[in-house]
Structure formats: C-alpha cells, structure tokens
Amino acid sequence: PEYNRGFIQKFILGYDLNPDFAFAAELAFRAALMCTLCGTSYSLHSMAWLNEYGWSMQYVVVIIAFTAYTSAGITYSLAFSGMVGTFLSVANTLMMFRIFPNGVESEDAAWEGHFTQAWYAGAINF
C-alpha cells in the first residue's frame, strides 16, 4: 500500500525528486533524533542524575543504530538477533564466572607453557 508522505518528506527532503532518498533520510533523521534523546543524560547537567542511579542508554543507542532499517520485518529480525546475542553473551559471562569465580589463580602458569583450564575455556569461546 502507498502511504501519504509527511511534511518532512514532501517539502524538505524532496520526495517528488527522489523518493528513495527522502524515505532513507527521514529514517536516518528519526534514528539520529532518538540517539540524541538517549544521550541527553550525558550532555545535559540537569539529566546527569540518571547516570548516578546507574541508568545507561548506551545499549539502546547501539540497538537503534543496528536495527534502523527500511522495512518492519527486517527491523524486527535485527532487533531480535541483537537481543538474543546480548542474552547469550551475558549467559556465557555468568557461566564463566560460575565455573571460574576467581579467574586465573596462578599468573605464572601461562608463562611457563602450561595453560590453565580458564585458558582452554576462553579458547573454546573464541
């Protein structure tokens, strides 16, 4: 279906001259606007209290940057794969902390040519 174009696409971005550019430019503008709003806690001193309570929008900006696409289906697919990738990496980190709570206990073992179990687990994860 053909949708009515908004003011920005019609008059500012020149939808009549190049519709693909107008659509992509509006999408980029929307993503940039959301990333700017997410960054206000870092740039405005009145919003700095969010960072003091541990509220961070860095991951939100990364997800917006990697999922902004021209169709809804691909956008949902990219967002889902980003969330699954984050879940798996967090689960892997928690598993490694559970198996090796102190990390590598002997620092000189790797230098002597004897690899520890943590080294092998890291090599498998790589």
Side-chain angles (χ1 to χ4, degrees):
E2 188 68 28
Y3 297 105
N4 292 332
R5 302 298 170 195
F7 176 79
I8 293 175
Q9 282 191 18
K10 283 183 182 177
F11 300 109
I12 297 175
L13 299 174
Y15 179 78
D16 297 334
L17 301 173
N18 192 347
D20 292 334
F21 170 77
F23 182 74
E26 185 178 8
L27 178 66
F29 176 74
R30 289 180 182 190
L33 180 66
M34 289 307 299
C35 290
T36 303
L37 290 176
C38 290
T40 56
S41 64
Y42 300 106
S43 60
L44 297 177
H45 294 293
S46 61
M47 300 291 288
W49 60 272
L50 287 172
N51 296 332
E52 294 172 3
Y53 287 109
W55 185 268
S56 175
M57 298 299 263
Q58 296 170 355
Y59 184 67
V60 174
V61 171
V62 169
I63 291 295
I64 290 172
F66 285 131
T67 60
Y69 205 73
T70 56
S71 69
I74 295 175
T75 300
Y76 296 150
S77 175
L78 291 172
F80 180 75
S81 65
M83 296 295 179
V84 168
T86 302
F87 173 75
L88 291 176
S89 64
V90 169
N92 184 28
T93 303
L94 293 175
M95 180 191 70
M96 292 297 283
F97 276 127
R98 179 72 174 146
I99 296 172
F100 306 107
N102 298 327
V104 178
E105 295 178 1
S106 175
E107 292 180 3
D108 58 348
W111 295 106
E112 295 176 7
H114 304 289
F115 295 112
T116 61
Q117 292 176 349
W119 186 89
Y120 287 114
I124 291 170
N125 278 330
F126 184 69

